[in-house]
Amino acid sequence: MGKRAVITGIGVISSLGGNKNTYEEALRKGISGVGPITLFDAASFPTRIAAEVKDFKMANIESPFNFNKDELAPDRRVLFAHAATYQAVTDAGFDFKEIAEGRCGIIMGAGIHPIISRKENIMLENLIYNIIQLNDYNSEQITLEVSKKILDRKEDSPIWVPADYGTVSIAQVLKLRGLCLTITSACAASSQAVGLAYRKISRGEESIIITGGYDSMIFPFGVGGFCMLGIMSTENEHPEKAVKPFDRKRTGLVLGEGAGSIILEEFSHAKKRGARIYGEIIGFGNSQDAYSVSAPHPEGKGAIMAMEKAIQDAKIITEDIDYINAHGTATLKNDRIETEAIKSVFGEYAYNIPISSTKSMLGHTISAAGILELIATILGINGGFAPPTINYKNRDPACDLDYVPNVAREMRIKRALSNSFGFGGQNSCIVIENFN
């Protein structure tokens, strides 16, 4: 029998709050983090709204060691990762020097984020806007045009920050000399990072792992790229109502940003030091659609496989799952296919499971989505509630399950499933159990 992996610390930076307490309060109240984009001038884009992290200041990041914040300043998502991780370590009751030099690893999910000069910004923005105006979303044309512009760049053109920069810089600041990995599997990245951390601990390879993810795609090339896919909501006049997962009148996703970190710890290690335990990871499943870069498998084969694997790994039956935090992007295809996949796995019992999409409040935080949604699930388990799917008003016959509409539901959750289904058909599901 493998070793047990328990959660002993939580850190959150999101559009709903800058720590786990404000995050939980917003989830309970069903608050939307979506508003007008302020990080750049989005006037020329079809979608001009996003779920931005508000009032985030570099000076507010508390670090146990001296480090050069100016080196991290250009990359917003890296700062999020640092802030969430320091919160998680402190919340776990560790002295930072306890984990320095010791057997503490770090596994994070992340995306690729370009730092672009103002001149390059304008050039790429105009390119994207022109393609959108032509109503031509041919991916081959877009790839060739963007590649040509980047290859012809001048000295002031993009600097591509390595995807692992956040992970590595945290390891350097905290003096972590254990395992250090970054997962870059798009929307499934941070969920897969947690799953891998769980595997490492259950096999006895590590005792403590900092895990989670970080991302922000709220910059011209990021927003423009998603606009070109034709999956973004354009309800700019009412941003807080724009994201409507599973609703018959859903109009697409809205981008969000943020970071989440948890401390995953081997149970006997946590028990020995008297740590508070939020829950236990008991199952992990992943899969690949092998179908499309941007669309889910039409029969949900990958999603079905990932859910089945997670439940099998947890050594439970489907009726043991009390709640599902859905991927729930508010796109026409995803919500219908995810609903069908859940029904395929759970059968008639699917109609008895409360299911919610916290993306209705957070937006789609891409590589940070899995961890922020898993943390929402953890907080729900500990707080005795299921977060709501806000903006749900119109029942879709193709999405006919219980989506915890609009208002958080007080309930006891013993075991929950958190779904993350990423671009490229990468799927990851985690089963978490209440420790009490």
Side-chain angles (χ1 to χ4, degrees):
M1 182 176 177
K3 294 182 180 293
R4 300 169 68 184
V6 297
I7 297 154
T8 58
I10 297 173
V12 175
I13 299 293
S14 78
S15 61
L16 300 183
N19 58 62
K20 65 181 176 66
N21 294 328
T22 55
Y23 186 51
E24 179 176 345
E25 182 180 0
L27 291 170
R28 285 182 178 275
K29 292 180 178 178
I31 294 172
S32 172
V34 181
I37 291 174
T38 65
L39 295 175
F40 68 94
D41 182 1
S44 61
F45 289 87
T47 298
R48 300 185 292 278
I49 55 177
E52 296 179 351
V53 173
K54 288 91 171 173
D55 302 320
F56 183 82
K57 294 181 175 61
M58 187 170 51
N60 293 340
I61 297 179
E62 295 183 5
S63 168
F65 303 105
N66 292 324
F67 74 113
N68 187 350
K69 293 178 183 178
D70 291 336
E71 290 182 0
L72 307 179
D75 196 340
R76 184 174 174 85
R77 64 185 187 143
V78 170
L79 294 172
F80 295 159
H82 276 258
T85 297
Y86 302 155
Q87 287 179 24
V89 172
T90 302
D91 187 51
F94 282 115
D95 182 302
F96 284 90
K97 293 182 180 178
E98 283 183 80
I99 61 172
E101 310 291 342
R103 288 191 61 198
C104 179
I106 180 168
I107 307 176
M108 302 292 275
I112 297 173
H113 187 171
I115 298 173
I116 304 177
S117 69
R118 177 171 175 76
K119 179 180 178 182
E120 195 78 5
N121 236 345
I122 294 170
M123 187 243 340
L124 288 173
E125 182 178 340
N126 288 338
L127 170 65
I128 292 164
Y129 183 68
N130 288 338
I131 293 173
I132 290 169
Q133 290 298 101
L134 290 170
N135 198 29
D136 185 352
Y137 301 131
N138 181 279
S139 60
E140 184 176 354
Q141 176 202 343
I142 292 167
T143 302
L144 289 172
E145 289 290 326
V146 173
S147 297
K148 183 177 184 299
K149 294 293 184 182
I150 291 175
L151 289 172
D152 292 342
R153 63 192 183 274
K154 306 299 181 184
E155 290 183 0
D156 63 347
S157 60
I159 301 169
W160 292 89
V161 176
D164 67 348
Y165 185 47
T167 312
V168 169
S169 61
I170 290 169
Q172 290 173 345
V173 169
L174 297 183
K175 310 300 182 188
L176 306 178
R177 301 191 186 278
L179 177 71
C180 183
L181 294 175
T182 303
I183 310 298
T184 57
S185 51
C187 322
S190 54
S191 179
Q192 290 187 344
V194 173
L196 180 57
Y198 153 72
R199 288 268 190 262
K200 290 288 183 182
I201 288 176
S202 65
R203 291 171 182 167
E205 297 176 21
E206 303 285 341
S207 297
I208 311 166
I209 299 180
I210 297 167
T211 186
Y214 52 94
D215 211 349
S216 175
M217 293 291 287
I218 308 174
F219 53 92
F221 195 42
V223 174
F226 276 91
C227 284
M228 287 190 292
L229 289 172
I231 57 174
M232 293 269 276
S233 174
T234 57
E235 295 186 50
N236 300 301
E237 301 306 314
H238 303 286
E240 71 284 353
K241 299 179 181 179
V243 189
K244 298 184 284 289
F246 303 107
D247 189 282
R248 178 169 49 84
K249 295 185 178 181
R250 61 191 181 276
T251 56
L253 63 85
V254 167
L255 290 174
E257 61 176 358
S261 284
I262 59 174
I263 306 300
L264 207 58
E265 192 170 351
E266 195 275 317
F267 171 63
S268 63
H269 188 281
K271 184 179 179 181
K272 184 177 180 180
R273 68 182 188 87
R276 173 182 177 176
I277 296 175
Y278 288 96
E280 180 178 357
I281 304 291
I282 62 170
F284 170 57
N286 62 358
S287 68
Q288 166 58 236
D289 281 359
Y291 174 72
S292 168
V293 172
S294 59
H297 191 284
E299 297 173 24
K301 287 186 176 180
I304 291 168
M305 183 181 293
M307 285 188 278
E308 288 178 341
K309 281 184 174 182
I311 292 167
Q312 183 179 16
D313 185 48
K315 297 179 175 58
I316 59 174
I317 60 174
T318 52
E319 286 78 4
D320 289 328
I321 296 294
D322 301 313
Y323 165 75
I324 299 173
N325 190 294
H327 188 57
T329 60
T331 60
L332 292 174
K333 286 184 180 180
N334 176 88
D335 293 2
R336 175 181 55 80
I337 292 171
E338 184 171 11
T339 296
E340 292 174 357
I342 290 170
K343 288 192 284 189
S344 177
V345 172
F346 290 89
E348 285 300 311
Y349 180 64
Y351 291 93
N352 299 324
I353 309 173
I355 301 165
S356 57
S357 170
T358 41
K359 285 186 179 72
S360 60
M361 297 172 273
L362 285 165
H364 196 333
T365 55
I366 312 301
S367 295
I371 185 61
L372 288 173
E373 291 158 19
L374 180 64
I375 290 173
T377 306
I378 295 166
L379 294 174
I381 286 173
N382 282 267
F385 73 100
T389 303
I390 67 170
N391 302 320
Y392 184 90
K393 293 183 178 179
N394 304 282
R395 186 177 181 276
D396 184 345
C399 298
D400 57 349
L401 300 178
D402 175 6
Y403 303 110
V404 192
N406 303 310
V407 179
R409 184 176 302 169
E410 298 298 316
M411 62 176 290
R412 182 179 182 274
I413 302 172
K414 177 63 176 174
R415 298 181 190 88
L417 176 70
S418 183
N419 288 342
S420 298
F421 305 139
F423 288 109
Q426 304 191 81
N427 308 296
S428 176
C429 297
I430 292 173
V431 178
I432 181 169
E433 184 172 77
N434 190 335
F435 192 77
N436 298 320

